[in-house]
Amino acid sequence: LDDVRQGLEATVAARTVELRAANAALTREVAERRRSEDRVRHLLAHDPLTNLPNRLLLVDRIEQALARSRRYGTRTAVLVFDIDRFKEVNDGYGHPAGDRLLRELARRVQGAVRGSDTVVRLGGDEFALVAPDLADAGEALVLARRILDACRPPFDLGAGRVAVTVSVGAAIHPEHGPDTEALLRAADAAL
């Protein structure tokens, strides 16, 4: 009877070791799958060059900001901006230098605006800023000035330094539109 019991205990102990190893492997696999899913979600909502949110996330951020504006009686600004004559940078310095300019511009603008603002790369050399919870339209002008000031110092492109200018168009909710599409159209028209 002791031999049978010891045999069963040895079998249970071996099986326990196997199950712990299988559980650890499964835990690693689930964690890796979650990281992969998180990465896919990030890639769907962010620009691969600048790592800024993309147009898909822009719409969500504007909708959230508009909901807050309606609830609290504040304003939301949507600013659209682009680099003047960006094609000349790509043609004169090459696309890698143009990419470097876009990444640096994204970094500078993010550092110049409020933490509650969302900087978005729409594509090419076009960007947007969603600025929620503004007390008045004048705050949008302050943000536009910050964007312009951040882009004023020359950019080091590796192949040389280049000064660029940026154009900015702004639209304010509720003055320039009741919804996302109207604000984007108004900001584009202002640009």
Side-chain angles (χ1 to χ4, degrees), residues 27-41:
T27 299
R28 284 189 301 274
E29 186 177 320
V30 167
E32 179 58 36
R33 183 181 198 121
R34 283 187 182 142
R35 282 191 296 273
S36 293
E37 289 170 354
D38 289 345
R39 179 80 177 132
V40 167
R41 274 192 294 278

Side-chain angles (χ1 to χ4, degrees), residues 16-179:
T16 299
V17 168
E18 290 173 12
L19 289 173
R20 284 185 181 145
N23 190 39
L26 184 59
T27 299
R28 284 189 301 274
E29 186 177 320
V30 167
E32 179 58 36
R33 183 181 198 121
R34 283 187 182 142
R35 282 191 296 273
S36 293
E37 289 170 354
D38 289 345
R39 179 80 177 132
V40 167
R41 274 192 294 278
H42 181 83
L43 289 171
L44 287 173
H46 290 80
D47 171 60
L49 180 66
T50 62
N51 203 36
L52 290 176
N54 63 19
R55 188 178 296 272
L56 179 68
L57 197 51
L58 170 70
V59 171
D60 179 64
R61 295 293 168 87
I62 294 173
E63 293 296 327
Q64 288 180 26
L66 292 177
R68 289 182 56 83
S69 286
R70 290 178 191 113
R71 180 174 182 165
Y72 298 112
T74 59
R75 288 175 169 68
T76 293
V78 175
L79 288 79
V80 177
F81 55 101
D82 64 13
I83 302 168
D84 300 329
R85 297 182 305 281
F86 179 68
K87 184 179 181 325
E88 293 175 18
V89 172
N90 275 338
D91 291 347
Y93 294 91
H95 288 279
D99 290 349
R100 189 170 177 169
L101 171 61
L102 293 170
R103 284 190 297 271
E104 178 60 18
L105 182 135
R107 188 191 65 73
R108 287 185 189 184
V109 171
Q110 280 186 298
V113 298
R114 306 170 309 162
S116 60
D117 299 335
T118 302
V119 181
V120 174
R121 180 168 179 225
L122 297 173
D125 68 321
E126 190 173 21
F127 295 82
L129 174 72
V130 180
D133 302 322
L134 301 179
D136 59 55
E139 289 185 64
L141 295 175
V142 171
L143 290 170
R145 176 58 52 201
R146 285 185 187 171
I147 291 169
L148 295 172
D149 289 345
C151 298
R152 185 164 288 123
F155 290 81
D156 181 5
L157 303 182
R161 293 175 61 78
V162 65
V164 300
T165 57
V166 175
S167 295
V168 181
I172 313 295
H173 170 270
E175 290 90 337
H176 300 125
D179 57 32

